[in-house]
């Protein structure tokens, strides 16, 4: 029995009536002009994205876990593809990530917050402030980013040398690296992980920050 069949079986067994009141009323104010149109021509959405119940939180415990896991993975893949490290919940509700205009389904803020909390559990996200509206997204955890940066420094002979944060994320030498264009705050947090391991030192001012790898 395929995993897809099992998943669908759980959905339809537990849902006698998927809320067929689509998001028409909620979306009256979301015209096509207002919806954030993004260039995703080279992006392939997972099959669940075209499955209407995917946008409704499932009541069956096991199915709900699978559903949130699928959303968690989608958020990470989407942000990795776009190399975006910040998610604003209110803005994201109009984004193709959480709003599939083709099937007229969208997530609400409460559902998105559940996904963000699950991402926090796996160390793939952190709120930017107490309002929990803006979030940092880590498609690599901070520990993973730290390891990637450390390996880059070692492999490129940067130990005992000083680099600026600009060189690490915008320099010509890192164009093909995963951390090219990485959000500054995420970069600093990853470097702080390395610093706590005695593998680098972060210094300087907010506007002129450097790092020395060991």
């Amino acid at each position: 029995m395929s995993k897809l069949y099992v998943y669908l079986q759980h959905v339809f067994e537990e849902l006698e009536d998927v809320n067929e009141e689509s998001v028409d009323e909620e979306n009256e104010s979301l015209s096509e002009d207002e919806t954030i149109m993004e260039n995703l021509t080279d992006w392939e959405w997972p099959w669940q994205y075209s499955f209407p119940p995917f946008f409704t939180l499932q009541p069956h415990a096991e199915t709900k876990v699978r559903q949130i896991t699928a959303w968690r993975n989608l958020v990470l893949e989407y942000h990795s593809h776009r190399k975006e490290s910040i998610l604003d919940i209110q803005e994201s509700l109009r984004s193709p990530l959480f709003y599939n205009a083709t099937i007229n389904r969208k997530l609400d803020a409460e559902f998105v917050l559940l996904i963000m909390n699950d991402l926090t559990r796996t160390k793939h996200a952190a709120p930017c402030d107490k309002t929990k509206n803006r979030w940092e997204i880590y498609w690599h955890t901070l520990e993973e980013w730290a390891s990637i940066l450390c390996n880059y420094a070692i492999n490129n002979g940067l130990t005992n040398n000083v680099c600026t944060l600009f060189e690490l994320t915008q320099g010509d030498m890192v164009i093909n690296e995963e951390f090219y264009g990485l959000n500054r705050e995420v970069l600093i947090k990853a470097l702080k992980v390395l610093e706590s391991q005695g593998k680098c030192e972060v210094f300087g001012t907010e506007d002129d920050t450097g790092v020395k790898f060991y």
Side-chain angles (χ1 to χ4, degrees), residues 9-20 58-59:
Q9 184 181 48
H10 276 306
V11 170
F12 288 112
E13 283 180 352
E14 294 301 319
L15 287 181
E16 294 181 358
D17 180 22
V18 173
N19 184 9
E20 290 301 335
Q58 303 301 309

Side-chain angles (χ1 to χ4, degrees), residues 73-145:
N73 292 336
L74 176 55
V75 169
L76 294 177
E77 292 168 5
Y78 180 90
H79 281 79
S80 174
H81 176 77
R82 294 182 57 78
K83 291 189 176 296
E84 293 180 351
S85 298
I86 300 297
L87 183 147
D88 182 295
I89 289 182
Q90 291 304 315
E91 291 181 0
S92 72
L93 297 179
R94 297 188 296 139
S95 162
L97 176 59
F98 296 135
Y99 173 41
N100 186 337
T102 302
I103 62 173
N104 197 26
R105 289 293 187 274
K106 68 188 289 289
L107 297 190
D108 57 29
E110 184 177 355
F111 196 164
V112 175
L113 186 57
L114 282 177
I115 298 167
M116 292 301 104
N117 287 332
D118 195 57
L119 283 162
T120 301
R121 180 185 62 81
T122 62
K123 299 183 178 180
H124 286 100
C128 295
D129 53 44
K130 293 182 179 180
T131 67
K132 291 190 174 184
N133 181 58
R134 286 175 58 82
W135 293 72
E136 290 178 346
I137 303 296
Y138 314 133
W139 54 91
H140 290 300
T141 66
L142 294 178
E143 289 77 12
E144 290 170 346
W145 277 126

Side-chain angles (χ1 to χ4, degrees), residues 80-81 83 139-140 144-145 147-158 165-183 187:
S80 174
H81 176 77
K83 291 189 176 296
W139 54 91
H140 290 300
E144 290 170 346
W145 277 126
S147 179
I148 291 170
L149 290 164
C150 184
N151 289 336
Y152 171 80
I154 293 172
N155 294 335
N156 289 275
L158 297 180
L165 299 193
F166 179 85
E167 289 174 319
L168 275 179
T169 59
Q170 305 294 331
D172 293 338
M173 298 296 292
V174 299
I175 290 178
N176 295 319
E177 301 296 333
E178 281 195 87
F179 47 83
Y180 180 74
L182 185 63
N183 175 274
L187 174 65

